[in-house]
Amino acid sequence: MTRRRPLPAAPTGLWDRPDMVQALTARDMKTVLEIYRKWTGASQSQIAAMTGIAQPSISAIVRGKRQVTTIESFEKFADGLGIPRERLGLATPESTAPETAGTTSPDRRTVLAAGAMFALDAELDEVTHRMQQFAASNVDGDALHQLDTSIEVVGRRYENSDAATVYPVALKQRRWVAELMTGHQHPDQRRELYAIGGKLSGLLGYLAFDLGNELVARAYCNEAMSLAKTAGHRDLAAWVRGTQSFIAYYGGRYREALDLARDGQRYARGGPASIRLAISGEARTLGKLGDIAGVDEAVGRALAAHARIEDTDPVGYFLSFDPFTASRIAGNAASAYLAAGAPDRAREFTDQAIPIFAAADSTASHALTLVDASMTYLSGPDPQPDRAGALVAEALDVGADLRSEVVARRARDFLLTAAQWRTVPEIAQVNDAVKAWRLPTA
């Protein structure tokens, strides 16, 4: 007869490991079990025996085929594996004092009857407690609506401000959401809270990049993608892929940027993010790769998708989770055709976008599109460097207070392209100013 292996115990400090804390906070039991098995060597059968959850269910959770969503299941994992209940947002059960022994010994029938009644009462109490836990929440619908509204405030504030001003606001909100996540919510509220946290992490990813910190930007995007998947929010996942593509694009990793944009389309499935992915992710990157036919196709797809929606606001704002508007499609199409070496097509789109951005006081977009327009006058058989220099001077005036890595990089691209005309007065006059154009403070 073989001796059964003893049930494993969690090593000291396991529940305090950063990766475990993150998994428990997210109630990601797949990751929790992966880490637990790595450090304890526990088998699925042993985990099943410890928690009272059937082994096939444990297997499905480990393989990512099933998600744990019920309070009862979380309690079984907490009690069976020794997980601190508060890490899973569970209430600590009330302790019961031991009963004092009586002076007389009841007969066996009385003991059994009393025991049966006690078990029945305890079970009824347990059901009631679970129902209270299920209904309990540290957020309500109004609070979630307010959090979601605050995300739009962050995005709109960036439109006529800069990343250095907006970043602390978004960071404060993200930390508040993280604090709320440590509490308990109804599963539907929990998913909505994950989506809100993912949106804020995505915004912080873009803002960190615009402040020149790509490492932090990529970390926030990874977090946003994880939360989007946990919440089952495909539109958010598509938006995050678009931001990751944007970061790769400005890092000069064009193949990576294209792959990320196309993977984003898999999540978007023709939804709100598909336009941004097509025009900002695919078209601009294909332009850098010299694929003019690909640019035509991606721009055409974005325009066709836009024609199917009701675009009541021609500007919108860049850090929006809504579909790209007409002016933003035009601005990005201009960048794509400029990169592909088609300045005349690029100028068609900058001429559309510039007056809209100017009228809306959309500072960063206005400045960027002016720089793109200036670049169109440095290309083709009849370059006009004087006109290009004048447009950059206008961009400098519009974006005088911007601290933006994106704008700074675009301005440096202009200087490289305009180097052969550095003696032209309009170019010479802006040369030093462009070099010093409010480079971001990380």
Side-chain angles (χ1 to χ4, degrees):
M1 182 176 177
T2 58
R3 178 179 297 178
R4 295 180 64 184
R5 288 178 59 191
L7 297 179
T12 302
L14 176 63
W15 311 117
D16 297 320
R17 290 179 52 82
D19 53 351
M20 180 63 87
V21 171
Q22 182 176 356
L24 289 171
T25 300
R27 286 185 168 178
D28 178 3
M29 294 311 300
K30 177 181 182 294
T31 303
V32 169
L33 292 181
E34 287 175 351
I35 300 170
Y36 182 84
R37 295 181 69 196
K38 174 182 176 181
W39 289 96
T40 65
S43 66
Q44 293 181 12
S45 297
Q46 287 178 312
I47 292 174
M50 296 165 72
T51 60
I53 297 174
Q55 190 274 330
S57 296
I58 297 294
S59 176
I61 294 168
V62 169
R63 290 183 291 115
K65 300 295 185 181
R66 174 181 170 184
Q67 289 188 340
V68 180
T69 58
T70 66
I71 297 300
E72 182 180 7
S73 295
F74 286 121
E75 289 184 328
K76 286 182 177 181
F77 277 114
D79 296 340
L81 303 183
I83 301 171
R85 294 171 66 89
E86 66 275 9
R87 294 286 173 84
L88 285 170
L90 301 173
T92 303
E94 296 180 1
S95 59
T96 56
E99 296 183 7
T100 305
T103 56
T104 59
S105 299
D107 60 29
R108 177 177 173 80
R109 185 174 300 175
T110 303
V111 170
L112 291 175
M117 289 300 295
F118 178 79
L120 181 60
D121 289 344
E123 191 168 352
L124 288 172
D125 288 344
E126 184 180 348
V127 171
T128 303
H129 179 68
R130 285 201 302 266
M131 291 178 67
Q132 289 173 337
Q133 284 276 28
F134 185 77
S137 176
N138 63 341
V139 294
D140 58 20
D142 290 339
L144 289 169
H145 176 72
Q146 183 59 37
L147 282 168
D148 211 25
T149 301
S150 69
I151 293 171
E152 182 175 352
V153 172
V154 170
R156 289 191 179 278
R157 185 175 298 180
Y158 174 78
E159 199 61 28
N160 50 24
S161 181
D162 58 24
T165 301
V166 177
Y167 190 93
V169 179
L171 183 60
K172 181 179 179 180
Q173 292 178 1
R174 181 64 186 87
R175 286 172 173 168
W176 183 30
V177 171
E179 184 178 343
L180 290 173
M181 284 180 174
T182 64
H184 176 261
Q185 302 88 31
H186 185 279
D188 289 342
Q189 292 175 323
R190 186 79 175 172
R191 281 189 290 272
E192 191 170 350
L193 197 58
Y194 280 169
I196 289 169
K199 288 179 180 180
L200 285 167
S201 292
L203 293 179
L204 284 166
Y206 176 86
L207 294 169
F209 180 74
D210 202 18
L211 288 171
N213 197 328
E214 183 173 344
L215 184 62
V216 173
R218 293 169 72 176
Y220 269 122
C221 285
N222 289 338
E223 180 180 52
M225 196 66 184
S226 177
L227 288 167
K229 289 180 178 179
T230 302
H233 200 307
R234 298 182 69 94
D235 287 341
L236 175 56
W239 190 95
V240 175
R241 281 287 188 257
T243 302
Q244 290 172 320
S245 174
F246 179 90
I247 291 171
Y249 174 89
Y250 274 98
R253 303 185 301 276
Y254 302 123
R255 286 291 177 187
E256 178 186 344
L258 183 61
D259 289 343
L260 286 165
R262 286 176 170 169
D263 186 59
Q265 294 287 19
R266 179 169 62 88
Y267 290 99
R269 296 185 297 183
S274 64
I275 299 174
R276 175 178 180 238
L277 288 163
I279 195 71
S280 178
E282 295 179 78
R284 294 199 312 164
T285 305
L286 288 166
K288 288 290 187 181
L289 295 173
D291 184 354
I292 186 68
V295 173
D296 286 338
E297 188 279 330
V299 170
R301 184 157 28 95
L303 291 171
H306 178 262
R308 294 193 293 269
I309 67 172
E310 183 180 356
D311 186 4
T312 57
D313 182 352
V315 182
Y317 57 100
F318 181 77
L319 290 182
S320 172
F321 293 91
D322 293 328
F324 255 27
T325 58
S327 58
R328 301 205 174 276
I329 293 174
N332 282 272
S335 297
Y337 281 113
L338 186 63
D344 291 341
R345 292 299 315 277
R347 199 174 303 150
E348 290 176 21
F349 286 106
T350 58
D351 287 349
Q352 294 175 32
I354 288 173
I356 300 175
F357 289 140
D361 193 27
S362 184
T363 308
S365 298
H366 188 191
L368 284 170
T369 310
L370 283 168
V371 175
D372 278 350
S374 75
M375 299 277 275
T376 68
Y377 289 97
L378 298 178
S379 305
D382 185 25
Q384 302 176 53
D386 54 340
R387 177 64 177 145
L391 283 168
V392 169
E394 185 179 351
L396 284 166
D397 183 58
V398 168
D401 296 325
L402 286 177
R403 287 172 290 176
S404 168
E405 174 68 12
V406 175
V407 174
R409 289 191 188 202
R410 196 78 65 89
R412 291 195 290 271
D413 287 343
F414 169 81
L415 287 183
L416 289 173
T417 306
Q420 59 183 302
W421 295 289
R422 64 172 62 92
T423 58
V424 173
E426 289 82 358
I427 300 293
Q429 288 170 8
V430 300
N431 187 70
D432 291 339
V434 169
K435 287 181 180 178
W437 192 356
R438 302 288 291 180
L439 293 179
T441 53

